[in-house]
Amino acid sequence: MKRSFLVAATLALGVAGWIMSGQFGGSEMQPSQSVVRASPTPSMFEVQVRTVVARERTKEIVLFASTEADRAVQVRAETAGRVTTLGAAKGDRVKRGDVIVRFAMEDREARLAEAEASLAHYTLAYDAARKLSEQEFRSRVQLAEARSQLESANAALAAIRNDIEHTVVRAPFNGILEDLPVEIGDYLGIGESVARIVDLDPVLIVAEVSEREVGLVKKGSPARARLVTGQEVAGTVRFVSRVGTVPTRTFRVEVAADNPALAIGEGLTAELWLITGRVRAHRVSPAVLTLSEDGVLGIKIVGPADRIVFHPVDIVADTPDGIWLAGLPERVDVVTVGHEFVRAGQIVKPRFEETSPPGAGSDGDGTVRSPEGSGAAS
């Protein structure tokens, strides 16, 4: 019994000693295991860079637009009558004064003869009353009555002549007979529509400009447009509204363009460029545009000490060959490849693009080759 007790006690002491030796031994090894190694300095990120030099560029506002007629009028009947003649067909070009519709004369000629005879009668009556009044054989009241009858006869004659004149409906200006909703035999009352005439020379190109840009648009400034048909036209700003559209806060702008052949119709969609001046700008690929953390549009350039600099920009023009940006220094080193992976303030390794012809100083779009490692001023 004592022997088994001694064996058990010896084993217990051995286990306890083993446990204690592990505890203290681990604390002795801890410092060597918890040593933090210094991270090696990461290699600089390589980006592709293109040096771009500013050039003189026309500053434009680009808008979506549509074409409108310079003038459009709904010609209406000014007298009642039956249509007897159509002087033009729908779609015809008409000149001012051309006959569009004639009404039947009916009893107008007889009423004209009656009015002329009545005027002749009252003219004689007034002359006689005036002479008698001068000899004091007629009172002034009787003379006034004779004069009143004469004026009434004159008015009646003028009215019938005017009515006869209105039996012929004429074009009020040169244009296109866009609509002719009457036929021979139709009876029209006063005020009913006879025709619609539109004047397409000049043609108007109409757009809405934002409240931020309306102050840049001046009456008389040049403009150009590309129609949905592909046709390009030049014009002049004729009207800039000073009253904005409340829901959109935009202002109507009208550009007048010559259209002598009337090849441009009303209702065509167009892209309109309003020229607002000239500015120094850089032409780059749209792919280099990026947004700052605040959502500001700009590009990333390589500045002094090869450090990335974010520059806000204004888009001056968007062309098939690239976009033109204003708001940059005269000469900048634009990051063209890799700008998505670097941030402002980061030091990078720039790799400059080669341009041709070497040594020419410019490749035609304002870009030049810069020696590797020379950053542009930010």
Side-chain angles (χ1 to χ4, degrees), residues 59-106:
K59 189 174 183 179
E60 299 171 325
I61 299 174
V62 184
L63 303 169
F64 290 106
S66 61
T67 59
E68 291 184 7
D70 181 39
R71 292 182 290 179
V73 64
Q74 200 76 29
V75 182
R76 299 184 182 277
E78 296 182 72
T79 187
R82 179 173 51 85
V83 176
T84 59
T85 304
L86 298 179
K90 185 164 63 175
D92 286 352
R93 294 185 67 168
V94 294
K95 295 182 179 180
R96 179 179 180 180
D98 285 354
V99 175
I100 301 175
V101 169
R102 288 183 184 273
F103 293 143
M105 287 293 291
E106 298 175 344

Side-chain angles (χ1 to χ4, degrees), residues 32-336:
S32 64
Q33 294 177 356
S34 62
V35 173
V36 179
R37 297 182 179 180
S39 301
T41 303
S43 59
M44 288 185 294
F45 192 84
E46 184 177 289
V47 294
Q48 187 167 302
V49 177
R50 185 178 181 86
T51 302
V52 186
V53 178
R55 299 171 60 194
E56 192 79 7
R57 172 70 190 184
T58 299
K59 189 174 183 179
E60 299 171 325
I61 299 174
V62 184
L63 303 169
F64 290 106
S66 61
T67 59
E68 291 184 7
D70 181 39
R71 292 182 290 179
V73 64
Q74 200 76 29
V75 182
R76 299 184 182 277
E78 296 182 72
T79 187
R82 179 173 51 85
V83 176
T84 59
T85 304
L86 298 179
K90 185 164 63 175
D92 286 352
R93 294 185 67 168
V94 294
K95 295 182 179 180
R96 179 179 180 180
D98 285 354
V99 175
I100 301 175
V101 169
R102 288 183 184 273
F103 293 143
M105 287 293 291
E106 298 175 344
D107 64 341
R108 291 181 175 87
E109 291 181 346
R111 288 159 52 196
L112 175 63
E114 180 183 5
E116 290 174 341
S118 179
L119 177 63
H121 168 74
Y122 285 113
T123 300
L124 293 175
Y126 173 74
D127 289 341
R130 180 174 55 81
K131 291 178 181 178
L132 292 172
S133 177
E134 290 174 353
Q135 298 174 5
E136 298 184 354
F137 292 111
R138 283 284 181 94
S139 67
R140 293 183 178 180
V141 173
Q142 291 175 320
L143 178 63
E145 289 177 355
R147 182 182 180 86
S148 175
Q149 292 170 342
L150 176 62
E151 294 297 335
S152 296
N154 267 314
L157 180 59
I160 186 59
R161 285 175 175 173
N162 190 54
D163 190 50
I164 291 173
E165 184 179 350
H166 288 161
T167 61
V168 181
V169 180
R170 301 180 184 273
F173 50 76
N174 298 350
I176 297 289
L177 185 57
E178 182 65 22
D179 191 21
L180 188 64
V182 298
E183 294 290 344
I184 294 176
D186 285 345
Y187 184 88
L188 300 179
I190 296 176
E192 291 193 58
S193 178
V194 175
R196 182 174 185 266
I197 300 176
V198 296
D199 182 6
L200 293 171
D201 186 23
V203 66
L204 299 183
I205 304 166
V206 179
E208 296 284 334
V209 64
S210 71
E211 58 185 347
R212 293 184 177 180
E213 297 175 317
V214 67
L216 302 175
V217 183
K218 305 298 181 184
K219 184 178 179 180
S221 61
R224 61 188 180 92
R226 181 186 297 118
L227 305 179
V228 68
T229 59
Q231 182 181 357
E232 294 192 3
V233 295
T236 303
V237 176
R238 192 179 74 173
F239 171 76
V240 181
S241 175
R242 293 304 172 189
V243 179
T245 304
V246 175
T248 59
R249 299 295 181 186
T250 55
F251 295 78
R252 180 182 173 93
V253 175
E254 296 179 2
V255 173
D258 291 337
N259 188 29
L262 307 185
I264 303 173
E266 185 178 37
L268 296 176
T269 57
E271 196 171 9
L272 178 64
W273 287 267
L274 301 176
I275 300 173
T276 60
R278 300 191 68 82
V279 67
R280 300 288 292 178
H282 301 71
R283 190 182 72 177
V284 299
S285 167
V288 305
L289 291 176
T290 186
L291 293 175
S292 68
E293 295 180 355
D294 299 330
V296 178
L297 183 68
I299 62 173
K300 291 175 181 175
I301 68 172
V302 176
D306 294 336
R307 192 179 298 275
I308 294 295
V309 177
F310 176 83
H311 253 293
V313 296
D314 294 323
I315 297 178
V316 173
D318 187 0
T319 67
D321 297 330
I323 57 173
W324 291 81
L325 306 177
L328 295 170
E330 184 72 12
R331 175 188 175 106
V332 290
D333 295 332
V334 181
V335 180
T336 57

